[in-house]
Amino acid sequence: MTQLIGEFECKLDAKGRMVLPAALKRQMPHVERDGLVVNRGFEKHLVFYPREEWDLMTAKLAKLNQFDPKVRAFVRAFTRGATELTLDAAGRVLLPKSLLEFAGITTELVLACQFNKIEVWSKEGYDDLMGDSGVEDISSLAAEVMGDINFGI
């Protein structure tokens, strides 16, 4: 599994293209050959998956019970708008206009790596989420989320 790290501020050009930061490209050695997949996130953002990670994710989804209406609804929602992205000769990807509108991304954006995927936020949306008005007490949140886990230490 890919383990991506980092947070990157980027800008879209007038055509909706974004240069993939070099430090991020180095973490995904096959991205120029295999590309990325972008889809809607669970909140008002987008998610980039390296192609191999997207394939792993959709393989898991394909194993779910397709006779269950909730499964079908989730798969439909999760894959809605999913689009393959390829890097051009300048290392740019063209983001679909409909997905940019969904996420409220106009010019400035933030790429926030999370394990095997990259969240793509409008800069304003990310600042709101992570700033003073966002996660207010990381210590309390950590205790609630991680407190009962035995790490074997």
Side-chain angles (χ1 to χ4, degrees):
M1 179 191 295
T2 305
Q3 295 293 320
L4 303 168
I5 59 172
E7 187 176 284
F8 306 89
E9 291 189 11
C10 302
K11 292 189 179 196
L12 291 178
D13 68 14
K15 295 181 179 180
R17 297 175 299 195
M18 178 200 77
V19 174
L20 197 62
L24 190 53
K25 275 191 350 187
R26 281 193 298 274
Q27 297 180 56
M28 300 182 291
H30 304 295
V31 72
E32 290 179 334
R33 181 189 70 208
D34 299 341
L36 298 165
V37 175
V38 61
N39 74 329
R40 288 172 169 81
F42 293 124
E43 290 86 24
K44 195 175 168 79
H45 68 282
L46 305 177
V47 181
F48 287 164
Y49 289 90
R51 183 60 203 222
E52 63 190 61
E53 293 295 333
W54 178 257
D55 291 344
L56 291 171
M57 178 66 70
T58 55
K60 290 176 187 176
L61 293 176
K63 291 179 182 178
L64 297 174
N65 180 1
Q66 298 298 311
F67 294 102
D68 184 333
K70 288 183 180 181
V71 168
R72 291 193 309 271
F74 172 72
V75 170
R76 212 174 281 126
F78 183 79
T79 59
R80 180 177 174 218
T83 305
E84 290 183 306
L85 302 176
T86 55
L87 277 70
D88 67 11
R92 299 173 299 196
V93 292
L94 175 64
L95 300 176
K97 186 175 181 179
S98 62
L99 293 180
L100 291 173
E101 289 171 357
F102 163 80
I105 297 171
T106 53
T107 305
E108 295 184 348
L109 55 100
V110 175
L111 304 179
C113 296
Q114 287 193 349
F115 310 113
N116 65 339
K117 65 183 187 280
I118 305 159
E119 290 187 343
V120 184
W121 292 85
S122 70
K123 178 153 176 25
E124 182 180 324
Y126 193 71
D127 288 347
D128 287 347
L129 178 73
M130 300 306 291
D132 292 336
S133 63
V135 178
E136 295 173 5
D137 187 355
I138 192 68
S139 178
S140 296
L141 185 59
E144 184 177 332
V145 173
M146 304 295 289
D148 293 334
I149 296 174
N150 180 353
F151 290 99
I153 299 173

